[in-house]
Amino acid sequence: MSQWLKAALAGTLVAGVCLGAAAWSGARELTGRREELQRDARVVARLVSTRIQGGLEKHMTAMRQMANFYVSSRKVGEKQFLTYAANTLKMSPACLNIAYVDRSLRILRSYPPDADRWSMVFDARTHQPGYETLVRANRALRPMLSPPMRLFGGTWGFVLVEPVVANGRLLGTLVGACRGQEYFDSMVLPEVTERYEQVLLDSGTGIFASDVGGSSDLSVPAVSESFDFGGADWEVRIKPQDHVVHARLAAGRTLFWAMACLFSLAFGALASAATLWAIGMSARLQSQGAALVEVRTRLDGAKEQLLHAERMSALGELVAGVAHEINNPLAGIVGYTQLLMKRRFSAPVQKKLETIAAEGGRMAKIVRNLLTFARKHASEKSLTDLNSVVRSTLEIKAYHLRANQIKVVEELDPGLPATLLDFHQMQQVLLNLLNNAEQAMLEARHGHTIRLTTRIVGDRIQMRVADDGPGIPPEIRERVLEPFFTTKKEGHGTGLGLSLCNGIVQEHGGRLSVESPPGEGATFIIDLPIRQEAVEADEAAKPFPAPAIDPLKVLVIDDETSMQDFLVDLLELGGHAVDTASDVPEAVAKIAAGDHDLIITDLKMPGGTGRDVYAAVLESRPHLARRIVFTTGQIAGDEMVDFLKMTGNELVLKPCNIDEMESAIARAARN
Ligand code: ADP
């Protein structure tokens, strides 16, 4: 959802809520005003009913006075009746007429005087309600009002019956007829009529209704007030007129809604703006959070690399130290075994010697690998075509791979430029990768192709070794380059292969990485820079077979007794005379005093180094300077390589085989 849509939704929601609140409060206000109106109407209803009651009371009183006059006067003549009736009617102007009826219901007198007396008041035959009221009042001996009835002449009204009773005896009855509408018109107040609709019911029948009509949506229900009078139930119904209701309920509503809409719009707009601001802010916070996470990840990565590098460096130191300590005794074991093998022994002894030599050789190889892993050496790089490394390695592995029915597909870029490589180290890397792929495929019985690709990527050379074997699960992919990490059974893997490869590739300024998408085997990628600086060809390094030499007087300098003894035996066997020294001071003294033809010295000893021996030779026997063969149990570091290059002398790595040593002695003797 876009931020604009969100802001619009928030704005609409808030505006809607504001309008809802306004509607709710408007409704409450309206209800309050209605209740107020009804309270007012109730008061008016009471007022109207009191007035009507008062009016009827007054009329009744006038009739009672007339009845009393009848009772007090022995005889009421026509004239007296007319005078009294006229006075009575004056008090009740809505009264049409008054009649005096005797006990046999004959009309004896009537006012205004009329020929047809019956018809003046009501026709007992046709005006049943009036007749009945008359009979009931005479029976009860008390005044009564008739229910609404049509009076003679057609108008609606009622009759008031007042029995004339003397000493509990009925003398006759006074009957007054009143026109309802006029009667009540005279009682209502104009200001009430202006504001309220009024209806008067007598015994449920409408007897009077104010002359207004119309209704509206705003109308409120009528309020009624009942009272009992003259044996009849009266009810006054009052209802505020529409214009009153309208004035009360609708007043200010337009302004109210206009303000409500305005406020709703304002709050809606505010909510939209706030939402936009909040979205912007949250996006900014999110991006800052992401940036922080990225920085943190990078820092973690850097820390991890640092720790790894530290670990590796410590491990390298340890491995180099251990390898050095092993190399010296191993040199004695290997050397003596080779010396013994030169003699004739019985076949079983010979076989055992061969086993010792082979195992010693294996140990020497492991130690050398460890030292390479620890990168305590200077590699011998020359401009080399990587494709030639691939081809020569495949030649070594071809038979093996074919025997295991593994096909190798070569996709080698013929235009690959030569770069500075240590041929043998690169071969070792490739062999390791091929061996791993082969072992993984055979063990999992999965896959049968290894694809070898070389190509140029940008300004670098890339070599890919891809197999279609089982692949490497993601959870261990990160760890396969770690030293000693292996998934192979004990005795089958050391876990050093890939870390060794990694070390060699890094030493070449390159990078080793691994890819293994699920179900697609494993691909190891070597990425190398193209380096073509000139390198000096080290002619002296090239081995050649040892020629026979004349007997010499050789000084052997080594602190390791086994190595010293082995060299003494080897040289004596070759017919040379041997002198020995076990540390540098002894050696320096012997060089100064002696007449040696050749010196074999260890590079690292107590009390000094091979350099000190070389310095002593330069000083006292400079002609021997090129006739020194250096030996070392460590793989030469860069500093040592520089020193050797400077002297141009031989270096033999311990443990060495006899041929190597003899060749080195022969080459030195030629100098
Ligand atoms: P090792 O071969 O002695 O186990 P490595 O360092 O050469 O040591 O290899 C480490 C681990 O990497 C192996 O044990 C294996 O689990 C995994 N691995 C290496 N190459 C492959 C491959 N081509 N396919 C599958 N797994 C491999």
Side-chain angles (χ1 to χ4, degrees), residues 388-462:
S388 69
V389 179
V390 175
R391 285 193 200 101
S392 78
T393 314
L394 281 177
E395 268 169 32
I396 301 171
K397 283 293 296 178
Y399 169 73
H400 226 258
L401 292 170
R402 246 197 328 274
N404 285 318
Q405 280 149 12
I406 293 173
K407 200 171 104 190
V408 177
V409 179
E410 290 174 49
E411 288 169 351
L412 307 181
D413 181 351
L416 216 59
T419 183
L420 280 182
L421 293 178
D422 183 317
F423 188 94
H424 294 289
Q425 283 187 340
M426 270 301 151
Q427 201 172 44
Q428 196 181 349
V429 169
L430 191 52
L431 266 177
N432 243 320
L433 297 180
L434 288 171
N435 284 342
N436 274 348
E438 183 188 16
Q439 280 176 14
M441 287 197 279
L442 290 180
E443 204 167 298
R445 294 171 202 269
H446 184 289
H448 42 72
T449 309
I450 298 175
R451 190 173 293 274
L452 271 163
T453 316
T454 56
R455 57 179 178 170
I456 302 173
V457 178
D459 58 350
R460 295 171 83 87
I461 294 173
Q462 197 183 71

Side-chain angles (χ1 to χ4, degrees), residues 117-124 127 130-131 134 149 152 159 175:
R117 286 178 177 170
W118 270 117
S119 62
M120 260 179 48
V121 183
F122 56 81
D123 185 340
H127 294 90
Y131 179 72
L134 183 64
M149 50 186 274
F152 203 86
V159 291
V175 180

Side-chain angles (χ1 to χ4, degrees), residues 42-58 183-184 187-189 198 200 225-227 229 234-236 238:
R42 210 161 283 129
V43 172
V44 171
R46 196 155 301 144
L47 177 76
V48 171
S49 76
T50 312
R51 276 185 69 83
I52 290 171
Q53 239 173 307
L56 289 171
E57 202 77 67
K58 206 169 132 198
Y183 181 82
F184 293 110
M187 283 185 203
V188 292
L189 296 166
Q198 304 161 57
L200 184 65
E225 181 79 23
S226 307
F227 60 93
F229 192 85
W234 293 78
E235 187 184 349
V236 176
I238 292 290

Side-chain angles (χ1 to χ4, degrees), residues 436-437 440 467 471-472 480 485-488 493-499 522 524:
N436 274 348
D467 64 64
I472 304 172
V480 290
F485 176 81
T486 179
T487 57
K488 292 174 189 163
T494 58
L496 281 176
L498 286 177
S499 59
F524 286 85

